[in-house]
Amino acid sequence: MRPGDTLTLLAPLSGPIVPIESVPDTVFADKVVGDGISIDPTTHTLLAPCDATVTQLHAARHAITLSAAGGVEIMIHVGIDTVALKGDGFTARVKEGDSVSAGQALLDFDADLLLREAPSLLTQIILLSGETSAIVERASGVATAGASRLMTVGPRRKAMEDASRASSAGEAGASRPPRATVGITSAVVVVPNPHGLHARPAAVLASEARSFAAAISVELGSRNANAKSVVALMNLGAGPGAELRITASGSEAARAVARLVELVRSGLGEDLSAAPAAPEPTAAAPAALSPTPAALSPTAADPAPRASEDPRRLPGVSAAPGLAIGPVCKIDPLALEVEEHATDTEAELTRLHKALLHTRLELKQLVAASGKRVEQAQIFSAHLTMLDDPDVITRAEVAIVEGKSAAFAWREAVMSSYRELARMENPLLAARANDLRDVGGRALRHLAGGDEAQAAPAGSIVVAETLTPSEVVRLADHGASGFASVLGGTTSHAAILARSLGVPYLVGAPASLLDVEAGTTAVLDALDAGDAALLLRPTGPELDAHRGRLGARRAVRERQEAAAAERAVTRDGVRVAVLANIASADDARKAVRLGAEGVGLLRTELMFFDRATAPTEADQIAAYQAIADALGGRPLTIRTLDVGGDKPLSYMPLPAEDNPLLGIRGLRIGALHPTILRGQLRAILAARVGAVHRVLLPMVSGLDELREAKQVLEEERLRAGSPPVELGVMVEVPSVAIQADRFAEEVDFFSIGTNDLTQYTLAMDRTHPRLAGRQDALHPAVLRLIEATAQAARRRERHVGICGAVASDPEAVAVLIGLGVTELSVSVQAIPEVKSRIRELDAARCREIARAALDLGTAAEVRALLAQGARPG
């Protein structure tokens, strides 16, 4: 946009105009994404406010980004928290790359649906290109779509000069900024922030500095930084109480220094009245975006994992038991293979800035989609400032001029700044180096043309901030011997899959895990749930000792597998059925090979993930039949769809919830999407099972929910003319265990899901990395609920099993048998070991142990009791 040029934006909707500051969402009201205007719409077709190109259409279709003349970028965001609808209620009329004219229809939305499911219909028209342009005039009153002038946008400097002239009379009596001497102004200010000038305050300072037509520097002792570069500011290493000198030159030097001094004194957006807090969270990689906010790293204050005096030992929590030895392999966002050299400098410079533009829009969409997750919005806002860092961009541009490709130049520029930050003595500032790697990797993927999956060498131990279920499967298939991550929980899907694959997985490791150099020899010891760790650079004797343990475990495993087909009977003659938790026909075949007596839990939701649409009834029938055939007449228990909470589906919109783990999930999904529940029940009934055919209902909390589901099942059974099937409920909510006697009157069996039962009994989010060490199903309170369920089942002659993670824990088997559990459904890999453990036990002694465990106070005490009292002998 040339000086003096302006762009007029027409109203995209009809309705009252609302100031952006009044929008009930802090991300918009605080202008985190950018300045703008909101409309309370009375029309339901969104129109283009000007001639433009569609730069980005969000996957949920609730937001669209347009690029107009002069580099003006506009985002229109329909409603508040509408991203949670996953596209339901929206119909796009354009696609990315389309050229549109002012007044052209962009998308339609179902206002009635949005009003039911979203907090507000207020629609925001946001100026994203705030670095170069600004709103010089804005309308008020009531807008008419396609006709009313909503706002006028002009070059940022001109807009600021107009605003300055407009407010000059009001400033006559105000205190004057420091006087300029020959165009240079300087002032000293002390950093009041309890953690110094770390990422977020540095981002606020840099962002504000860029709004002035002045060259601004910040000095600390002999060090000097460009005030418009967040990386340079962090590299100063300014801790609390540091004395900074801010110097500026240019037409706005005095105003710039006065404003920046005022900002620093006020804390740069941080609450200075609060006591020093724990280090700010590091943002997770893109895959970490989920229903829960990104990324709290465990700190020294955590009750678990155990602290270590050996700096080589990184403690954590065992999410999948096992032992592995191998070189460290890092999943690195900057590890993509790129060409080093290029010949067309102009083309590469264009590629760089196009990639930065796409990344900037992506980050702004993520900020806008953060909703009430203010912490997440702040993290991605800081990433936006890092992305636009002038020092990093200049380094990349210089390298391109010297003949490097845009991708190579960007990666090297980011890595150079990363290394500077990583060397900082302040651990909080050094930790922000990983934020720079994250945002740098995000832009590099655009430059490299996609999100290419990274491989891990066979035998390596993969370390990462977080791992997704698909990454666990892919890396295990490539031969990874173990996993370790900063984030994650013992009951996450990634952990469940790691256990089923027999690959040890350590979660809750300290953030220093991400600083481990690739190729470092390590020992991953996840055998003990409470004392798991990654040992770096083991000595020769340590390696020999662990190799001996590994060899001994392999020998034991071979003996267990050789006897896996034998029944699991205690020494005093009590038989315990050992079944498998599976997700596919391949799992079923492997389970049978390892001695499973059937399937106690088919997780049907895993076939609903990683798809654009729900599987058809035919898809489901084929999958269930293949599993039944693989079992060869053994019992099959199929759990209906268990999603929601920590397990979202992209194509199944759920209402936004403050506490999704307490909201619409499990069986409650059936009330919201009855066609999916009925279709799944029809598919289950259509499968031909040679033995016991069971339907299992997840997340039941009351008898009314059970009765409604029973009625639906019976209606579909009668309609299909199918024979009766056994019906059971998951005992995951304390209310079911407490009313187990009433439930036993109406069901054929119970399956205790200890992962959720523990979560709801102890009031601990099972996905929370800082609580992973406390999520123990052997807590006496949880054991009492298991006992109550088992007693009610016994009185009504119903069988009761456990399908939660504790069933796969060989050390827990004794107390479970002692409480009256007659069936254990375990991860596929655990079958031989659990059956072997049962044969070592005496059921009478197990009952004594269980009685003693119920009188203890903590899970640790129960585990100590088991270690002492349940030894074979």
Side-chain angles (χ1 to χ4, degrees), residues 639-855:
R639 183 174 68 184
T640 59
L641 185 62
D642 185 16
V643 295
D646 60 327
K647 297 177 284 188
L649 294 177
S650 60
Y651 53 83
M652 184 186 290
L654 297 175
E657 299 177 288
D658 289 335
N659 296 300
L661 290 172
L662 299 178
I664 307 299
R665 58 171 304 202
L667 187 61
R668 297 168 189 170
I669 295 290
L672 201 61
H673 297 276
T675 57
I676 288 183
L677 175 62
R678 286 183 177 273
Q680 184 174 32
L681 290 174
R682 286 194 294 269
I684 293 171
L685 291 168
R688 299 179 306 279
V689 179
V692 180
H693 193 182
R694 302 171 181 162
V695 174
L696 180 59
L697 303 175
M699 285 305 300
V700 176
S701 60
L703 286 165
D704 52 346
E705 293 174 331
L706 167 63
R707 289 165 181 165
E708 290 169 6
K710 282 180 70 174
Q711 180 177 341
V712 172
L713 175 62
E714 186 63 10
E715 289 172 1
E716 295 299 337
R717 189 188 71 81
L718 292 173
R719 188 175 290 120
S722 301
V725 296
E726 290 191 7
L727 180 67
V729 294
M730 294 282 292
V731 181
E732 301 172 281
V733 181
S735 60
V736 177
I738 293 168
Q739 284 192 294
D741 54 342
R742 296 296 308 277
F743 277 90
E745 296 172 2
E746 304 197 27
V747 298
D748 299 300
F749 68 98
F750 291 113
S751 184
I752 303 174
T754 52
N755 300 348
D756 272 315
L757 184 61
T758 304
Q759 169 176 247
Y760 294 128
T761 302
L762 301 183
M764 291 183 185
D765 181 352
R766 74 184 210 178
T767 66
H768 200 305
R770 296 183 66 175
L771 300 176
R774 288 184 171 179
Q775 280 276 330
D776 195 333
L778 292 185
H779 192 287
V782 180
L783 296 182
R784 286 173 180 263
L785 294 175
I786 294 173
E787 181 197 34
T789 305
Q791 287 181 350
R794 186 165 52 250
R795 285 192 293 269
R796 279 280 175 175
E797 297 183 343
R798 307 292 192 243
H799 77 263
V800 57
I802 290 184
C803 63
V806 73
S808 301
D809 181 354
E811 296 304 313
V813 169
V815 73
L816 301 180
I817 292 174
L819 291 172
V821 174
T822 57
E823 178 181 292
L824 299 175
S825 191
V826 306
S827 63
V828 173
Q829 286 291 330
I831 295 166
E833 186 173 9
V834 169
K835 293 182 80 172
S836 175
R837 179 61 173 151
I838 292 168
R839 298 185 196 109
E840 296 173 344
L841 297 171
D842 182 283
R845 176 59 179 150
C846 290
R847 287 188 285 273
E848 293 175 4
I849 291 170
R851 285 194 294 271
L854 293 173
D855 290 332

Side-chain angles (χ1 to χ4, degrees), residues 289-549:
L289 288 177
S290 66
T292 54
L296 290 172
S297 299
T299 68
D302 289 338
R306 299 178 188 174
S308 172
E309 296 180 358
D310 186 347
R312 300 175 304 142
R313 187 178 184 277
L314 304 181
V317 176
S318 173
L323 182 66
I325 301 171
V328 165
C329 173
K330 302 177 72 172
I331 300 300
D332 188 346
L334 289 173
L336 294 177
E337 292 293 329
V338 298
E339 292 290 334
E340 180 176 354
H341 301 286
T343 55
D344 190 336
T345 298
E346 288 303 318
E348 293 303 304
L349 287 170
T350 299
R351 285 186 65 219
L352 172 64
H353 288 284
K354 185 177 180 180
L356 294 177
L357 170 64
H358 282 298
T359 308
R360 187 181 303 115
L361 295 177
E362 183 177 273
L363 285 167
K364 288 188 176 184
Q365 292 277 16
L366 290 172
V367 173
S370 296
K372 298 181 178 66
R373 300 189 294 275
V374 178
E375 185 89 346
Q376 180 171 306
Q378 291 173 337
I379 288 169
F380 287 116
S381 296
H383 279 200
L384 269 167
T385 310
M386 287 183 171
L387 179 72
D388 290 329
D389 193 287
D391 286 1
V392 178
I393 293 174
T394 300
R395 283 177 176 175
E397 290 173 334
V398 168
I400 290 172
V401 171
E402 292 174 348
K404 304 297 185 183
S405 73
F408 183 87
W410 173 254
R411 185 175 66 184
E412 293 305 301
V414 171
M415 285 304 300
S416 178
S417 295
Y418 165 82
R419 286 188 287 267
E420 291 172 2
L421 280 177
R423 287 195 296 265
M424 300 299 295
E425 292 182 4
N426 184 323
L428 184 61
L429 295 178
R432 298 288 70 77
N434 287 314
D435 282 329
L436 184 59
R437 289 180 80 101
D438 186 3
V439 72
R442 189 183 290 272
L444 183 62
R445 283 192 295 276
H446 286 292
L447 282 166
D451 190 4
E452 184 179 319
Q454 293 177 255
S460 59
I461 296 173
V462 175
V463 304
E465 185 172 49
T466 187
L467 287 167
T468 66
S470 59
E471 284 174 327
V472 165
V473 173
R474 177 176 56 79
L475 294 166
D477 286 345
H478 281 83
S481 63
F483 303 116
S485 66
V486 175
L487 306 177
T490 59
T491 58
S492 68
H493 275 107
I496 289 169
L497 287 170
R499 287 195 293 271
S500 71
L501 294 166
V503 180
Y505 186 10
L506 178 87
V507 299
S512 57
L513 173 73
L514 303 179
D515 299 324
V516 176
E517 187 175 348
T520 302
T521 300
V523 174
L524 176 60
D525 185 351
L527 293 173
D528 185 337
D531 194 28
L534 185 72
L535 178 65
L536 304 174
R537 299 177 297 279
T539 63
E542 287 172 336
L543 267 178
D544 290 342
H546 285 295
R547 283 172 180 152
R549 293 176 67 205

Side-chain angles (χ1 to χ4, degrees), residues 10-17 39 42-43 139-150:
L10 302 178
L13 294 163
S14 297
I17 296 172
I39 295 177
T42 56
T43 55
S140 58
V142 179
T144 301
S148 298
R149 176 182 295 185
L150 187 67

